[in-house]
Amino acid sequence: MFSSSSSSFLCLLIFSVTFSHVSGDKIFTGTYGVNYGRIADNLPSPQSVVTLLKAAKIRNIRIYDADHQVLSAFKGSGIGIIIGLPNEFLKDISVGEDRAMNWIKENVQPFLPGTKIRGIAVGNEILGGTDMELWEALVPAAKNVYTALERLGLAHTIQVSSPHSEAVFANSYPPSACTFREDVLPFMKPLLQFFSQIGTPFYINAYPFLAYKNDPQHIDINYALFKKNPGIYDAKTKLHYDNMFEAQIDAAYAALEKVGFDKMEVIVSETGWASRGDETEAGATVKNARTYNKNLRKLLLKKKGTPYRPKMVMRAYIFALFNENLKPGPTSERNFGLFKPDGSIAYDIGFTGLVSSATSSFLSFKGIGSLYVMVSASCGAFLLLVAL
């Protein structure tokens, strides 16, 4: 018979070699998702957002925190959510598993199983950023979050991940030449090793818009927008790319392969195109935003892979659901939204929205728990929306 201390040791030993895996299909329904950012003071209530997402048949979202009002609103919606553990919490969470356990008990467990929390993104764009203390905290924080989930019996349904920016790469052209930055590798490798053990994909924020904006003289905008263009040829792989989005995904696959993780899936955690920008922000127009997002949606709905990984179905979260009028930075940062705050479409990519974009008279639907009547001035019809 084991003593309690020897039993604990045995449990730890078993845990050290056995990890719960969450399949990609459980995390992501289909291939299309949207980022629901909320750095704004004019957005509809979370309850109304649920109605909007259902109308648009969007079944996957990411949020950048664990806001209780949002998580409550999504109860029973069936929409899969990846919540965020914000960067400012990483150092504290990295200190010990008890900190992670407390955070999960406060921000995750109370909303299960009604709210479909499918993942926790530990930080956002940490590696390649300016705070080296966060680089050091990332792996221990991710491990502590996973261990806490495992102890609560949730690791088989909630995936632990961490999205990266293109700043983790030393170069990405052509795709086969992509490598991780030398200074990033000592932190990236242990993270990839851990994520490989628990079955987590590599999440990348991939923006052809930013690449074009930074170098409009040398990048064909048609290549960035999925329009007809000569494309590029990768001599090493003998593959042709007719759009930058797929090239960026395959660049990530090439970088992963070079460090021994050739079986790891790549998922795009953010991509989008700004509909408005400063004078110095090339390409930030409504026309280009519509073209990019419409063509991207059509591509994702085909459920196909990339030239380099044809059997790995592409999945992506679009940035973003709404324009966020309080975001700092250049004008483009506040103009990535697919929808206006009134629930109408910002531009037509195939969604209907809750109200016609031509509507000029309606009542705001920012409140909670009330009946709202939005009257279309253009056709005289009306839509009853109950914010549940």
Side-chain angles (χ1 to χ4, degrees), residues 32 209 212 221 224-227 271-277 282-297 318-320 323 332 335-339 346-351:
Y32 191 90
F209 166 70
Y212 176 76
I221 194 167
L225 292 174
F226 305 95
K227 294 175 74 174
T271 189
W273 198 284
S275 59
R276 190 171 162 231
T285 68
V286 171
K287 182 181 178 183
N288 289 340
R290 177 185 179 274
T291 300
Y292 180 82
N293 281 305
K294 186 171 186 176
N295 288 337
L296 174 60
R297 185 169 178 240
I318 312 311
F319 189 88
N323 289 340
S332 62
N335 289 279
F336 276 90
L338 297 175
F339 294 91
Y347 41 80
D348 183 14
I349 65 166
F351 295 129

Coordinates of all heavy atoms in Angstrom, one line a residue, residues 32 209 212 221 224-227 271-277 282-297 318-320 323 332 335-339 346-351:
Y32 N -13.9 28.9 -40.3 CA -14.0 30.3 -40.2 C -14.4 30.8 -38.8 O -15.4 30.3 -38.2 CB -15.1 30.8 -41.2 CG -15.2 32.3 -41.5 CD1 -14.4 32.9 -42.5 CD2 -16.0 33.1 -40.7 CE1 -14.5 34.2 -42.7 CE2 -16.1 34.5 -40.9 CZ -15.3 35.0 -42.0 OH -15.4 36.4 -42.2
F209 N -2.2 42.7 -45.2 CA -2.4 44.1 -45.2 C -1.2 44.8 -44.6 O -0.7 45.8 -45.2 CB -3.6 44.5 -44.4 CG -3.7 46.0 -44.0 CD1 -3.9 46.9 -45.0 CD2 -3.4 46.4 -42.7 CE1 -4.0 48.3 -44.7 CE2 -3.5 47.7 -42.4 CZ -3.7 48.7 -43.4
Y212 N 1.8 44.6 -47.1 CA 1.6 45.6 -48.2 C 1.8 47.0 -47.7 O 2.5 47.8 -48.4 CB 0.2 45.4 -48.8 CG 0.0 46.4 -49.9 CD1 0.6 46.3 -51.2 CD2 -0.8 47.5 -49.7 CE1 0.4 47.2 -52.2 CE2 -1.0 48.5 -50.7 CZ -0.4 48.3 -51.9 OH -0.6 49.3 -52.9
I221 N -0.5 44.5 -54.9 CA -1.7 44.5 -54.1 C -2.7 43.4 -54.5 O -3.4 42.9 -53.6 CB -2.4 45.9 -54.1 CG1 -3.4 45.9 -52.9 CG2 -3.0 46.2 -55.4 CD1 -3.9 47.3 -52.6
A224 N -1.9 40.4 -52.6 CA -2.3 40.5 -51.2 C -3.8 40.3 -51.1 O -4.3 39.9 -50.0 CB -1.9 41.8 -50.6
L225 N -4.6 40.6 -52.1 CA -6.0 40.6 -52.1 C -6.7 39.4 -52.7 O -7.9 39.4 -52.9 CB -6.6 41.9 -52.8 CG -6.3 43.2 -52.1 CD1 -6.7 44.4 -53.0 CD2 -6.9 43.3 -50.7
F226 N -5.9 38.4 -53.1 CA -6.4 37.2 -53.7 C -7.0 37.5 -55.1 O -7.8 36.7 -55.6 CB -7.6 36.5 -52.9 CG -7.2 36.2 -51.5 CD1 -7.5 37.1 -50.4 CD2 -6.6 35.0 -51.1 CE1 -7.3 36.8 -49.1 CE2 -6.4 34.7 -49.8 CZ -6.7 35.6 -48.8
K227 N -6.5 38.5 -55.7 CA -7.0 38.8 -57.1 C -6.0 38.3 -58.1 O -4.9 37.9 -57.8 CB -7.2 40.4 -57.3 CG -8.3 41.0 -56.4 CD -8.3 42.5 -56.5 CE -8.9 42.9 -57.8 NZ -9.1 44.4 -57.8
T271 N -6.3 37.7 -38.9 CA -6.0 38.2 -40.2 C -7.2 39.1 -40.6 O -8.3 38.9 -40.2 CB -5.8 37.1 -41.3 OG1 -5.3 37.7 -42.5 CG2 -7.1 36.4 -41.6
G272 N -6.9 40.2 -41.4 CA -7.9 41.1 -41.8 C -7.3 42.2 -42.6 O -6.2 42.2 -42.9
W273 N -8.2 43.2 -42.9 CA -7.8 44.3 -43.7 C -8.5 45.5 -43.3 O -9.7 45.5 -43.1 CB -8.1 44.0 -45.2 CG -7.3 44.9 -46.1 CD1 -7.5 46.2 -46.4 CD2 -6.2 44.6 -46.9 NE1 -6.6 46.7 -47.3 CE2 -5.8 45.7 -47.7 CE3 -5.4 43.4 -47.1 CZ2 -4.7 45.7 -48.5 CZ3 -4.4 43.4 -48.0 CH2 -4.0 44.5 -48.7
A274 N -7.8 46.6 -43.0 CA -8.4 47.9 -42.6 C -9.1 48.6 -43.7 O -8.7 48.6 -44.8 CB -7.3 48.8 -42.0
S275 N -10.3 49.1 -43.3 CA -11.2 49.8 -44.3 C -10.9 51.3 -44.3 O -11.4 52.0 -45.2 CB -12.6 49.6 -44.0 OG -12.9 50.1 -42.7
R276 N -10.0 51.7 -43.4 CA -9.7 53.1 -43.4 C -8.3 53.3 -42.7 O -8.0 52.5 -41.8 CB -10.7 53.9 -42.6 CG -10.6 55.4 -42.7 CD -11.8 56.1 -42.0 NE -11.5 57.5 -41.7 CZ -11.7 58.1 -40.6 NH1 -12.2 57.4 -39.6 NH2 -11.4 59.3 -40.4
G277 N -7.5 54.3 -43.1 CA -6.2 54.5 -42.5 C -5.7 55.9 -42.7 O -6.4 56.7 -43.3
A282 N -0.9 52.7 -46.9 CA -1.3 52.3 -48.2 C -2.3 51.1 -48.2 O -2.2 50.2 -47.4 CB 0.0 51.9 -49.0
G283 N -3.3 51.2 -49.0 CA -4.2 50.1 -49.2 C -5.4 50.1 -48.3 O -6.3 49.2 -48.4
A284 N -5.5 51.0 -47.3 CA -6.5 50.9 -46.3 C -7.8 51.6 -46.8 O -8.0 52.8 -46.5 CB -6.0 51.6 -45.0
T285 N -8.6 50.9 -47.6 CA -9.8 51.4 -48.1 C -10.9 50.4 -47.9 O -10.7 49.2 -47.7 CB -9.7 51.7 -49.6 OG1 -9.5 50.4 -50.3 CG2 -8.5 52.6 -49.9
V286 N -12.2 50.9 -48.0 CA -13.3 50.0 -47.9 C -13.3 49.0 -49.0 O -13.6 47.8 -48.8 CB -14.6 50.8 -47.9 CG1 -15.8 49.9 -48.0 CG2 -14.8 51.7 -46.7
K287 N -13.0 49.4 -50.2 CA -13.0 48.5 -51.4 C -12.0 47.3 -51.1 O -12.3 46.2 -51.4 CB -12.6 49.2 -52.6 CG -12.6 48.4 -53.9 CD -12.2 49.2 -55.1 CE -12.2 48.3 -56.4 NZ -11.7 49.0 -57.6
N288 N -10.8 47.7 -50.7 CA -9.8 46.6 -50.4 C -10.1 45.7 -49.3 O -9.9 44.5 -49.3 CB -8.4 47.2 -50.2 CG -7.8 47.8 -51.4 OD1 -8.2 47.5 -52.6 ND2 -6.8 48.8 -51.3
A289 N -10.7 46.3 -48.2 CA -11.1 45.5 -47.1 C -12.2 44.5 -47.5 O -12.2 43.3 -47.1 CB -11.6 46.4 -46.0
R290 N -13.2 45.0 -48.3 CA -14.2 44.1 -48.8 C -13.6 43.0 -49.7 O -14.0 41.8 -49.5 CB -15.2 44.9 -49.6 CG -16.4 44.1 -50.2 CD -17.3 44.9 -51.1 NE -18.3 44.1 -51.7 CZ -18.2 43.4 -52.8 NH1 -17.0 43.4 -53.5 NH2 -19.1 42.7 -53.3
T291 N -12.8 43.3 -50.6 CA -12.2 42.3 -51.5 C -11.4 41.3 -50.7 O -11.5 40.1 -50.9 CB -11.2 43.0 -52.5 OG1 -12.0 44.0 -53.2 CG2 -10.6 42.0 -53.4
Y292 N -10.5 41.7 -49.8 CA -9.7 40.8 -49.0 C -10.6 39.8 -48.2 O -10.5 38.6 -48.3 CB -8.8 41.5 -48.0 CG -7.9 40.5 -47.2 CD1 -6.8 40.0 -47.8 CD2 -8.3 40.2 -45.9 CE1 -6.0 39.1 -47.1 CE2 -7.5 39.3 -45.2 CZ -6.4 38.7 -45.8 OH -5.6 37.8 -45.1
N293 N -11.5 40.4 -47.4 CA -12.4 39.5 -46.5 C -13.3 38.7 -47.3 O -13.6 37.5 -46.9 CB -13.1 40.4 -45.5 CG -12.1 40.8 -44.4 OD1 -11.5 40.0 -43.7 ND2 -12.0 42.1 -44.2
K294 N -13.9 39.2 -48.4 CA -14.8 38.3 -49.2 C -14.0 37.2 -49.8 O -14.5 36.0 -49.8 CB -15.5 39.2 -50.3 CG -16.5 38.4 -51.0 CD -17.3 39.3 -52.0 CE -18.5 38.6 -52.6 NZ -19.3 39.5 -53.4
N295 N -12.9 37.4 -50.4 CA -12.1 36.4 -51.1 C -11.5 35.4 -50.1 O -11.5 34.2 -50.3 CB -11.0 37.0 -51.9 CG -11.5 37.7 -53.2 OD1 -12.6 37.4 -53.6 ND2 -10.7 38.6 -53.7
L296 N -11.2 35.9 -48.9 CA -10.7 35.0 -47.8 C -11.8 34.1 -47.4 O -11.5 32.9 -47.2 CB -10.1 35.8 -46.7 CG -9.7 35.0 -45.4 CD1 -8.6 34.0 -45.8 CD2 -9.2 35.9 -44.3
R297 N -12.9 34.6 -47.2 CA -14.1 33.8 -46.7 C -14.4 32.7 -47.7 O -14.6 31.5 -47.4 CB -15.3 34.7 -46.5 CG -16.5 33.9 -45.9 CD -17.6 34.9 -45.4 NE -18.7 34.1 -44.9 CZ -19.9 34.2 -45.4 NH1 -20.2 35.0 -46.4 NH2 -20.9 33.4 -44.9
I318 N -10.9 35.9 -38.3 CA -10.8 37.2 -38.9 C -10.8 38.3 -37.9 O -11.5 38.2 -36.9 CB -12.1 37.4 -39.9 CG1 -12.3 36.2 -40.8 CG2 -11.9 38.7 -40.7 CD1 -11.1 35.7 -41.5
F319 N -10.0 39.3 -38.1 CA -9.9 40.4 -37.3 C -10.5 41.6 -38.0 O -10.0 42.0 -39.1 CB -8.5 40.8 -36.9 CG -8.4 41.8 -35.8 CD1 -8.4 41.5 -34.5 CD2 -8.2 43.1 -36.2 CE1 -8.3 42.4 -33.5 CE2 -8.2 44.1 -35.2 CZ -8.2 43.8 -33.9
A320 N -11.7 42.1 -37.6 CA -12.3 41.8 -36.3 C -13.8 41.9 -36.5 O -14.3 42.4 -37.6 CB -11.9 42.8 -35.2
N323 N -15.3 47.6 -35.6 CA -14.3 48.6 -35.4 C -14.2 49.0 -34.0 O -15.3 49.0 -33.3 CB -14.7 49.9 -36.2 CG -14.6 49.8 -37.7 OD1 -13.9 48.9 -38.2 ND2 -15.3 50.6 -38.4
S332 N -5.8 52.9 -38.9 CA -6.2 51.5 -39.3 C -6.5 50.6 -38.2 O -7.4 49.8 -38.3 CB -5.0 50.9 -40.1 OG -3.9 50.8 -39.3
N335 N -10.2 50.4 -37.5 CA -11.1 50.2 -38.7 C -10.9 48.8 -39.3 O -10.8 48.7 -40.6 CB -10.8 51.3 -39.7 CG -11.3 52.7 -39.2 OD1 -12.5 52.9 -39.3 ND2 -10.4 53.5 -38.6
F336 N -10.9 47.8 -38.5 CA -10.8 46.4 -39.1 C -12.2 45.7 -39.1 O -12.3 44.5 -39.4 CB -9.8 45.6 -38.3 CG -8.4 45.8 -38.8 CD1 -7.6 46.7 -38.2 CD2 -7.9 45.0 -39.8 CE1 -6.3 46.9 -38.6 CE2 -6.6 45.1 -40.2 CZ -5.8 46.1 -39.6
G337 N -13.3 46.3 -38.6 CA -14.5 45.7 -38.3 C -15.3 45.2 -39.5 O -15.3 45.9 -40.6
L338 N -15.9 44.0 -39.4 CA -16.8 43.5 -40.4 C -18.2 44.1 -40.3 O -19.0 44.1 -41.2 CB -16.9 42.0 -40.3 CG -15.7 41.2 -40.6 CD1 -15.9 39.7 -40.3 CD2 -15.1 41.4 -42.0
F339 N -18.5 44.5 -39.0 CA -19.9 45.0 -38.8 C -19.8 46.4 -38.1 O -18.8 46.7 -37.4 CB -20.7 44.1 -37.8 CG -21.0 42.7 -38.5 CD1 -20.1 41.7 -38.3 CD2 -22.1 42.6 -39.2 CE1 -20.4 40.4 -38.9 CE2 -22.4 41.3 -39.8 CZ -21.6 40.3 -39.6
A346 N -20.5 46.3 -42.4 CA -19.6 47.4 -42.7 C -19.5 47.5 -44.2 O -19.4 48.6 -44.8 CB -18.3 47.3 -42.1
Y347 N -19.4 46.3 -44.9 CA -19.4 46.2 -46.3 C -19.8 44.7 -46.6 O -19.8 43.9 -45.8 CB -18.0 46.5 -46.9 CG -16.9 45.9 -46.1 CD1 -16.5 44.6 -46.1 CD2 -16.2 46.7 -45.2 CE1 -15.5 44.1 -45.4 CE2 -15.1 46.2 -44.4 CZ -14.8 44.9 -44.5 OH -13.8 44.4 -43.7
D348 N -20.2 44.5 -47.8 CA -20.8 43.2 -48.2 C -19.8 42.1 -48.5 O -19.1 42.2 -49.6 CB -21.8 43.4 -49.4 CG -22.5 42.1 -49.7 OD1 -22.5 41.2 -48.9 OD2 -23.1 42.1 -50.8
I349 N -19.7 41.1 -47.7 CA -18.9 40.0 -48.0 C -19.7 38.7 -47.9 O -19.2 37.6 -47.9 CB -17.6 39.8 -47.1 CG1 -18.0 39.6 -45.7 CG2 -16.7 41.1 -47.3 CD1 -16.8 39.1 -44.8
G350 N -21.0 38.8 -47.9 CA -21.9 37.7 -47.8 C -22.7 37.5 -46.6 O -23.6 36.6 -46.5
F351 N -22.4 38.4 -45.6 CA -23.2 38.3 -44.3 C -24.4 39.3 -44.5 O -24.4 40.2 -45.2 CB -22.4 38.8 -43.1 CG -21.3 37.9 -42.8 CD1 -20.0 38.4 -42.6 CD2 -21.5 36.5 -42.6 CE1 -18.9 37.5 -42.3 CE2 -20.4 35.7 -42.3 CZ -19.1 36.2 -42.1

